[in-house]
Amino acid sequence: MFEALLSLHPVWQAFFATLFTWAMTALGAGAVYLQQEPTRKTLDLMLGFAAGVMIAASYWSLLAPALVMAEGKALPAWLVVALGFLCGGGFLRLIDKFLPHLHLNMPMSEAEGVKTNWPRSTLMVLAITMHNIPEGLAVGVAFGAVGAGFQEASMAGAIALALGIGIQNFPEGLAVSVPLRRDGLSRHRSFMVGQFSGMVEIVAGVAGAALVFIAQPILPFSLAFAAGAMIFVVVEEVIPESQQGGHTDTATFGTMVGFTVMMILDVALG
């Protein structure tokens, strides 16, 4: 498997990796075709798990390698990584401020961004799309780092990151499609909307890999940027949503399990 991936250009590696993460989103969205839909407690557990994976990936797969790669350059390593981290969060804040969107399980009156008359389903898809941008970017940058020949980057580590993001995309797809089904959309339309939200990861992944491969000196900054964007999404969206259903202990335990799983994947494979 590793040999086959190594033979591809980094952009193609990122494409196939994010194709997998999208497929996991689609698999989760497909839960609307089951007769028994997940309970809110299950959804909160899965959202907590997704948050844990993203937090762990932000450090183990992005920030830690960025600090090592930034050593010995013109600027201090901590400064490059800190700036990238803050810029990633700032970028998502700008999107959050202007892009019309609605977080899961929230009433239409709580829609954020520029005011529009768009339907609820569209606003929810935009919220998850914003969520998926840093995930796809992180995977793309990781494969770009391998292709650029950085010793600190490994194919196993990039694959571990893609696996972790893919695993946590399953509950994300489910968390989008199930509420839409409860809002009255057909099973097919709920599934299509849920899986569509993950397609942006493919675009972001390919763009991230191409950018790093073309401009290798910005790699540490790019890794930190992706980490900052992911942490912003986790704190601003995923964790609050996992706590709204009244199952706070369950969601918190899910976060710890998700963090542990991603940590094991990255350390064991990377």
Side-chain angles (χ1 to χ4, degrees):
M1 178 180 178
F2 287 3
E3 291 76 9
L5 282 172
L6 282 171
S7 65
L8 298 174
H9 189 278
V11 173
W12 280 108
Q13 292 171 350
F15 171 78
F16 284 113
T18 49
L19 193 65
F20 163 74
T21 63
W22 162 77
M24 291 297 291
T25 303
L27 187 62
V32 292
Y33 290 110
L34 301 177
Q35 293 299 319
Q36 183 67 38
E37 292 184 352
T39 64
R40 179 59 193 268
K41 184 176 183 179
T42 301
L43 287 175
D44 290 344
L45 175 67
M46 289 183 170
L47 283 171
F49 180 88
V53 169
M54 293 175 72
I55 293 171
S58 295
Y59 175 73
W60 296 101
S61 299
L62 300 172
L63 288 176
L67 284 167
V68 176
M69 294 177 189
E71 291 289 347
K73 303 296 190 298
L75 295 175
W78 61 265
L79 179 60
V80 173
V81 174
L83 286 175
F85 185 80
L86 294 175
C87 285
F91 174 71
L92 260 292
R93 175 66 184 100
L94 287 175
I95 296 179
D96 185 66
K97 182 177 180 180
F98 294 106
L99 181 71
H101 62 283
L102 178 67
H103 295 305
L104 299 175
N105 305 307
M106 299 297 289
M108 283 293 289
S109 59
E110 297 295 325
E112 300 179 17
V114 177
K115 300 301 180 183
T116 71
N117 294 321
W118 294 347
R120 178 183 179 87
S121 59
T122 301
L123 295 176
M124 289 181 65
V125 169
L126 288 175
I128 297 298
T129 297
M130 179 180 69
H131 180 163
N132 287 339
I133 290 174
E135 296 176 6
L137 183 64
V139 174
V141 169
F143 279 96
V146 176
F150 284 86
Q151 293 183 349
E152 298 83 0
S154 69
M155 179 59 69
I159 291 175
L161 177 59
L163 284 174
I165 295 297
I167 290 170
Q168 64 95 35
N169 273 359
F170 179 86
E172 284 184 4
L174 186 150
V176 175
S177 61
V178 169
L180 290 175
R181 174 62 179 160
R182 290 173 180 169
D183 284 348
L185 269 69
S186 67
R187 293 183 188 276
H188 178 68
R189 183 166 175 77
S190 298
F191 166 75
M192 292 302 294
V193 171
Q195 63 85 26
F196 180 78
S197 65
M199 288 185 178
V200 69
E201 290 191 5
I202 300 175
V203 178
V206 169
L211 179 63
V212 169
F213 199 75
I214 294 171
Q216 296 183 18
I218 69 168
L219 179 57
F221 180 90
S222 300
L223 288 167
F225 183 97
M230 284 220 290
I231 291 298
F232 180 91
V233 168
V234 170
V235 177
E236 198 269 343
E237 178 184 343
V238 183
I239 289 179
E241 286 170 2
S242 73
Q243 301 285 323
Q244 288 173 2
H247 310 291
T248 56
D249 289 343
T250 300
T252 301
F253 181 73
T255 301
M256 296 183 68
V257 172
F259 185 97
T260 303
V261 169
M262 185 63 222
M263 179 179 65
I264 291 173
L265 278 175
D266 193 272
V267 175
L269 296 182

